[in-house]
Amino acid sequence: MAHPFFDVVVYPWTRADAQDLHRVLYQNVTDPGRITLFYQQSGGLRPLTPGSPADNAWAEALNNLIAQRALGRLCGLLLSNATIAAVHSFVQAVVDATDASQEVYLSDGVIFLDRKELRIELTKLTQPHCGVLLVRGPSGSGKSWTQQMVERFAADRGASTIYLFEGIVSTVEDVFQQLFATFGNSDAVPPRLGSEDAWFKKVCLKLQELAQARKDVLWIVVDDLGDYDDGPRVDQEIRRFFDQFGLTMANPAFSKWFRLVLIDYPGSGVPTKWKQNVWCEDRPNPEEVDDQAVSDFLRRWAIARSKNLGEEKAATLASEILTKASPSGAGLPKNRLKDIHTELSRTLEKL
């Protein structure tokens, strides 16, 4: 399981525990020399800006150390220093921070049932060598719900997310406008000169420059990439661009700043030039959402909210939920996951 602080390269400022650590540090360790000493002893390489107030100095130190994956050393130094006991509980909270991939309840009331393989594959994406996730599966299997987990997972690591799908983008030019706008520079798209491959390579290089300048990791989620009876849902040129993007992910200087999630990617293989170690795959299966999965969810949900829900009660509720979601008992209804989500939400409101 990846650690949301020690296995990332961008400080996760959106997390409450990350903000708390920064606050207690600048409130309790204010002397510039002492801040610099902690920073250097932790392995900080880039000099801190001289004359900065404590809050800015600590923000810079945290940003630099996490980029070096050296925040763990700082936490160790802080915990071993008896003169700053006031910060210890907040440092320990960072050390004990949990991975969002294990969450059962996401933002906006979205319930995330099972998807154990997705949680595993997302954790792989935190490693330097793997940066592309292909999500495949039949209609109604929950592929598009992947975006909800990815957004939470990325935010927990201080990264930004963009979600592209049919209706938002129709052409590859639309894709480029969306991507460059994310970096605040929609006018920086390279002109279309030469071959398609040459153009796509220039676009990838320019995106790398913008991400590096902003020190901003971007998770790109692209949906609706499959083939249907009436043809591709989005322009095939969009898929070809992301094929090139996936190829470029083999370059560590590029993949440091990006993660790519391709939902409803067609076929069973990958483009022939992709490096084997840069991609992984998730195939959601609605059949996996069984009595045990729903029961496990209910018990984990109850524990997170300090509610008393025994195994027997959780199993009974799970059986009732699945019966209501599939009343006929004949096969798997097309909207089974949606119906389970609805029934589960109603049950949670009563607990």
Side-chain angles (χ1 to χ4, degrees):
M1 185 186 304
H3 195 282
F5 283 87
F6 303 154
D7 295 326
V8 298
V9 294
V10 176
Y11 194 76
W13 289 103
T14 56
R15 290 180 61 110
D17 46 5
Q19 297 168 17
D20 288 343
L21 177 62
H22 174 238
R23 175 176 50 80
V24 298
L25 286 175
Y26 76 69
Q27 288 177 345
N28 291 274
V29 185
T30 59
D31 177 69
R34 199 176 188 201
I35 295 173
T36 299
L37 182 61
F38 273 122
Y39 174 67
Q40 291 178 340
Q41 288 179 334
S42 301
L45 301 176
R46 182 184 303 174
L48 298 177
T49 303
S52 296
D55 58 342
N56 291 349
W58 272 117
E60 187 177 6
L62 293 172
N63 284 333
N64 290 350
L65 288 174
I66 208 163
Q68 299 173 213
R69 301 205 173 192
L71 187 64
R73 278 177 274 173
L74 174 65
C75 289
L77 287 173
L78 295 171
L79 289 172
S80 66
N81 193 309
T83 67
I84 49 172
V87 311
H88 286 181
S89 63
F90 298 93
V91 176
Q92 192 63 49
V94 167
V95 173
D96 297 337
T98 56
D99 185 350
S101 70
Q102 304 307 306
E103 293 289 337
V104 296
Y105 220 134
L106 305 184
S107 59
D108 301 323
V110 175
I111 297 166
F112 216 83
L113 272 169
D114 205 50
R115 298 296 294 277
K116 295 177 183 177
E117 289 303 317
L118 174 60
R119 300 171 194 273
I120 293 171
E121 302 308 327
L122 284 177
T123 299
K124 289 181 183 178
L125 292 191
T126 64
Q127 305 305 313
H129 63 276
C130 184
V132 183
L133 172 63
L134 304 180
V135 182
R136 291 166 162 146
S139 176
S141 62
K143 298 187 301 294
S144 292
W145 288 11
T146 302
Q147 182 265 337
Q148 301 281 352
M149 175 61 88
V150 171
E151 184 176 353
R152 172 65 186 274
F153 192 82
D156 225 36
R157 285 155 175 75
S160 303
T161 309
I162 183 171
Y163 181 41
L164 306 176
F165 53 94
E166 181 190 22
I168 292 294
V169 294
S170 300
T171 67
V172 75
E173 287 86 356
D174 293 340
V175 169
F176 295 163
Q177 287 294 320
Q178 291 283 345
L179 292 176
F180 280 82
T182 301
F183 291 111
N185 200 340
S186 57
D187 295 329
V189 180
R192 185 167 190 162
L193 301 174
S195 68
E196 183 182 76
D197 283 349
W199 185 35
F200 290 168
K201 289 176 183 178
K202 289 180 181 178
V203 169
C204 289
L205 181 59
K206 189 62 179 180
L207 286 170
Q208 177 184 336
E209 292 176 1
L210 293 175
Q212 186 169 350
R214 289 170 58 103
K215 300 293 186 289
D216 191 4
V217 175
L218 179 64
W219 286 57
I220 303 170
V221 184
V222 192
D223 206 343
D224 301 324
L225 290 170
D227 292 323
Y228 301 86
D229 293 340
D230 56 350
R233 181 165 291 183
V234 296
D235 192 323
Q236 287 188 330
E237 196 172 33
I238 294 176
R239 193 193 306 165
R240 288 196 294 271
F241 166 68
F242 284 111
D243 286 347
Q244 177 63 51
F245 199 103
L247 177 64
T248 311
M249 290 294 282
N251 178 3
F254 182 80
S255 61
K256 176 180 180 179
W257 303 108
F258 299 101
R259 289 295 179 266
L260 181 63
V261 180
L262 303 179
I263 300 176
D264 203 19
Y265 193 87
S268 58
V270 296
T272 55
K273 293 183 180 180
W274 277 19
K275 300 297 183 182
Q276 182 62 35
N277 63 344
V278 305
W279 67 277
C280 52
E281 183 180 45
D282 174 51
R283 288 183 176 268
N285 181 0
E287 294 185 24
E288 293 177 352
V289 183
D290 55 12
D291 288 62
Q292 188 63 53
V294 177
S295 177
D296 287 345
F297 169 90
L298 288 168
R299 286 188 285 109
R300 292 171 64 191
W301 178 90
I303 291 171
R305 285 154 184 79
S306 301
K307 293 179 179 289
N308 185 18
L309 185 66
E311 287 191 25
E312 184 175 347
K313 178 62 174 178
T316 300
L317 290 173
S319 179
E320 293 173 354
I321 289 167
L322 291 178
T323 299
K324 291 177 181 178
S326 306
S328 66
L332 293 178
K334 182 178 180 180
N335 295 321
R336 180 173 183 265
L337 289 180
K338 183 179 180 180
D339 293 340
I340 292 174
H341 186 287
T342 299
E343 295 299 333
L344 188 50
S345 297
R346 290 172 180 168
T347 300
L348 294 178
E349 290 175 359
K350 299 175 184 178
L351 293 179

PDB file of all heavy atoms in Angstrom, residues 293-305:
ATOM      1  N   ALA A 293     -19.128  -8.690  -0.431  1.00  0.00           N
ATOM      2  CA  ALA A 293     -18.610  -7.351  -0.723  1.00  0.00           C
ATOM      3  C   ALA A 293     -19.458  -6.276  -0.066  1.00  0.00           C
ATOM      4  O   ALA A 293     -18.935  -5.307   0.503  1.00  0.00           O
ATOM      5  CB  ALA A 293     -18.560  -7.132  -2.242  1.00  0.00           C
ATOM      6  N   VAL A 294     -20.786  -6.420  -0.138  1.00  0.00           N
ATOM      7  CA  VAL A 294     -21.673  -5.423   0.464  1.00  0.00           C
ATOM      8  C   VAL A 294     -21.582  -5.481   1.989  1.00  0.00           C
ATOM      9  O   VAL A 294     -21.557  -4.450   2.669  1.00  0.00           O
ATOM     10  CB  VAL A 294     -23.125  -5.642  -0.007  1.00  0.00           C
ATOM     11  CG1 VAL A 294     -24.058  -4.639   0.672  1.00  0.00           C
ATOM     12  CG2 VAL A 294     -23.219  -5.489  -1.521  1.00  0.00           C
ATOM     13  N   SER A 295     -21.509  -6.681   2.522  1.00  0.00           N
ATOM     14  CA  SER A 295     -21.378  -6.835   3.973  1.00  0.00           C
ATOM     15  C   SER A 295     -20.076  -6.214   4.475  1.00  0.00           C
ATOM     16  O   SER A 295     -20.056  -5.512   5.502  1.00  0.00           O
ATOM     17  CB  SER A 295     -21.429  -8.316   4.340  1.00  0.00           C
ATOM     18  OG  SER A 295     -21.243  -8.510   5.723  1.00  0.00           O
ATOM     19  N   ASP A 296     -18.971  -6.458   3.758  1.00  0.00           N
ATOM     20  CA  ASP A 296     -17.680  -5.865   4.129  1.00  0.00           C
ATOM     21  C   ASP A 296     -17.752  -4.346   4.098  1.00  0.00           C
ATOM     22  O   ASP A 296     -17.219  -3.666   4.984  1.00  0.00           O
ATOM     23  CB  ASP A 296     -16.583  -6.342   3.177  1.00  0.00           C
ATOM     24  CG  ASP A 296     -16.201  -7.790   3.409  1.00  0.00           C
ATOM     25  OD1 ASP A 296     -16.578  -8.336   4.467  1.00  0.00           O
ATOM     26  OD2 ASP A 296     -15.538  -8.364   2.531  1.00  0.00           O
ATOM     27  N   PHE A 297     -18.419  -3.813   3.072  1.00  0.00           N
ATOM     28  CA  PHE A 297     -18.568  -2.367   2.974  1.00  0.00           C
ATOM     29  C   PHE A 297     -19.310  -1.828   4.188  1.00  0.00           C
ATOM     30  O   PHE A 297     -18.891  -0.831   4.801  1.00  0.00           O
ATOM     31  CB  PHE A 297     -19.322  -1.985   1.699  1.00  0.00           C
ATOM     32  CG  PHE A 297     -19.732  -0.540   1.666  1.00  0.00           C
ATOM     33  CD1 PHE A 297     -18.885   0.421   1.123  1.00  0.00           C
ATOM     34  CD2 PHE A 297     -20.939  -0.123   2.201  1.00  0.00           C
ATOM     35  CE1 PHE A 297     -19.236   1.760   1.128  1.00  0.00           C
ATOM     36  CE2 PHE A 297     -21.308   1.207   2.206  1.00  0.00           C
ATOM     37  CZ  PHE A 297     -20.458   2.158   1.660  1.00  0.00           C
ATOM     38  N   LEU A 298     -20.412  -2.448   4.544  1.00  0.00           N
ATOM     39  CA  LEU A 298     -21.222  -1.963   5.660  1.00  0.00           C
ATOM     40  C   LEU A 298     -20.430  -1.967   6.968  1.00  0.00           C
ATOM     41  O   LEU A 298     -20.506  -1.018   7.757  1.00  0.00           O
ATOM     42  CB  LEU A 298     -22.471  -2.838   5.802  1.00  0.00           C
ATOM     43  CG  LEU A 298     -23.535  -2.655   4.709  1.00  0.00           C
ATOM     44  CD1 LEU A 298     -24.573  -3.769   4.791  1.00  0.00           C
ATOM     45  CD2 LEU A 298     -24.200  -1.288   4.831  1.00  0.00           C
ATOM     46  N   ARG A 299     -19.651  -3.012   7.190  1.00  0.00           N
ATOM     47  CA  ARG A 299     -18.874  -3.076   8.429  1.00  0.00           C
ATOM     48  C   ARG A 299     -17.764  -2.040   8.444  1.00  0.00           C
ATOM     49  O   ARG A 299     -17.513  -1.399   9.473  1.00  0.00           O
ATOM     50  CB  ARG A 299     -18.310  -4.490   8.617  1.00  0.00           C
ATOM     51  CG  ARG A 299     -19.386  -5.486   9.040  1.00  0.00           C
ATOM     52  CD  ARG A 299     -18.847  -6.845   9.411  1.00  0.00           C
ATOM     53  NE  ARG A 299     -18.457  -7.615   8.241  1.00  0.00           N
ATOM     54  CZ  ARG A 299     -17.209  -7.880   7.904  1.00  0.00           C
ATOM     55  NH1 ARG A 299     -16.213  -7.423   8.644  1.00  0.00           N
ATOM     56  NH2 ARG A 299     -16.934  -8.588   6.839  1.00  0.00           N
ATOM     57  N   ARG A 300     -17.097  -1.827   7.303  1.00  0.00           N
ATOM     58  CA  ARG A 300     -16.048  -0.814   7.240  1.00  0.00           C
ATOM     59  C   ARG A 300     -16.641   0.584   7.396  1.00  0.00           C
ATOM     60  O   ARG A 300     -16.063   1.451   8.041  1.00  0.00           O
ATOM     61  CB  ARG A 300     -15.286  -0.934   5.918  1.00  0.00           C
ATOM     62  CG  ARG A 300     -14.452  -2.195   5.793  1.00  0.00           C
ATOM     63  CD  ARG A 300     -13.902  -2.374   4.391  1.00  0.00           C
ATOM     64  NE  ARG A 300     -12.981  -1.327   4.020  1.00  0.00           N
ATOM     65  CZ  ARG A 300     -12.525  -1.139   2.790  1.00  0.00           C
ATOM     66  NH1 ARG A 300     -12.929  -1.921   1.817  1.00  0.00           N
ATOM     67  NH2 ARG A 300     -11.688  -0.173   2.535  1.00  0.00           N
ATOM     68  N   TRP A 301     -17.803   0.793   6.793  1.00  0.00           N
ATOM     69  CA  TRP A 301     -18.490   2.078   6.918  1.00  0.00           C
ATOM     70  C   TRP A 301     -18.843   2.348   8.384  1.00  0.00           C
ATOM     71  O   TRP A 301     -18.659   3.454   8.889  1.00  0.00           O
ATOM     72  CB  TRP A 301     -19.750   2.060   6.059  1.00  0.00           C
ATOM     73  CG  TRP A 301     -20.572   3.317   6.144  1.00  0.00           C
ATOM     74  CD1 TRP A 301     -20.463   4.428   5.369  1.00  0.00           C
ATOM     75  CD2 TRP A 301     -21.655   3.561   7.054  1.00  0.00           C
ATOM     76  NE1 TRP A 301     -21.395   5.373   5.740  1.00  0.00           N
ATOM     77  CE2 TRP A 301     -22.140   4.867   6.771  1.00  0.00           C
ATOM     78  CE3 TRP A 301     -22.248   2.823   8.074  1.00  0.00           C
ATOM     79  CZ2 TRP A 301     -23.194   5.433   7.483  1.00  0.00           C
ATOM     80  CZ3 TRP A 301     -23.294   3.389   8.783  1.00  0.00           C
ATOM     81  CH2 TRP A 301     -23.755   4.675   8.488  1.00  0.00           C
ATOM     82  N   ALA A 302     -19.347   1.327   9.077  1.00  0.00           N
ATOM     83  CA  ALA A 302     -19.738   1.485  10.472  1.00  0.00           C
ATOM     84  C   ALA A 302     -18.538   1.775  11.363  1.00  0.00           C
ATOM     85  O   ALA A 302     -18.590   2.641  12.252  1.00  0.00           O
ATOM     86  CB  ALA A 302     -20.467   0.222  10.948  1.00  0.00           C
ATOM     87  N   ILE A 303     -17.443   1.069  11.128  1.00  0.00           N
ATOM     88  CA  ILE A 303     -16.228   1.287  11.934  1.00  0.00           C
ATOM     89  C   ILE A 303     -15.719   2.710  11.762  1.00  0.00           C
ATOM     90  O   ILE A 303     -15.338   3.380  12.725  1.00  0.00           O
ATOM     91  CB  ILE A 303     -15.141   0.273  11.536  1.00  0.00           C
ATOM     92  CG1 ILE A 303     -15.553  -1.142  11.978  1.00  0.00           C
ATOM     93  CG2 ILE A 303     -13.795   0.649  12.145  1.00  0.00           C
ATOM     94  CD1 ILE A 303     -14.652  -2.237  11.444  1.00  0.00           C
ATOM     95  N   ALA A 304     -15.736   3.216  10.512  1.00  0.00           N
ATOM     96  CA  ALA A 304     -15.240   4.566  10.240  1.00  0.00           C
ATOM     97  C   ALA A 304     -16.087   5.624  10.930  1.00  0.00           C
ATOM     98  O   ALA A 304     -15.612   6.737  11.183  1.00  0.00           O
ATOM     99  CB  ALA A 304     -15.219   4.828   8.731  1.00  0.00           C
ATOM    100  N   ARG A 305     -17.339   5.284  11.259  1.00  0.00           N
ATOM    101  CA  ARG A 305     -18.238   6.249  11.894  1.00  0.00           C
ATOM    102  C   ARG A 305     -18.573   5.885  13.328  1.00  0.00           C
ATOM    103  O   ARG A 305     -19.542   6.397  13.903  1.00  0.00           O
ATOM    104  CB  ARG A 305     -19.510   6.386  11.048  1.00  0.00           C
ATOM    105  CG  ARG A 305     -19.243   7.199   9.800  1.00  0.00           C
ATOM    106  CD  ARG A 305     -20.191   6.857   8.662  1.00  0.00           C
ATOM    107  NE  ARG A 305     -19.795   7.620   7.474  1.00  0.00           N
ATOM    108  CZ  ARG A 305     -18.783   7.284   6.681  1.00  0.00           C
ATOM    109  NH1 ARG A 305     -18.058   6.214   6.962  1.00  0.00           N
ATOM    110  NH2 ARG A 305     -18.471   8.014   5.630  1.00  0.00           N
TER     111      ARG A 305
END
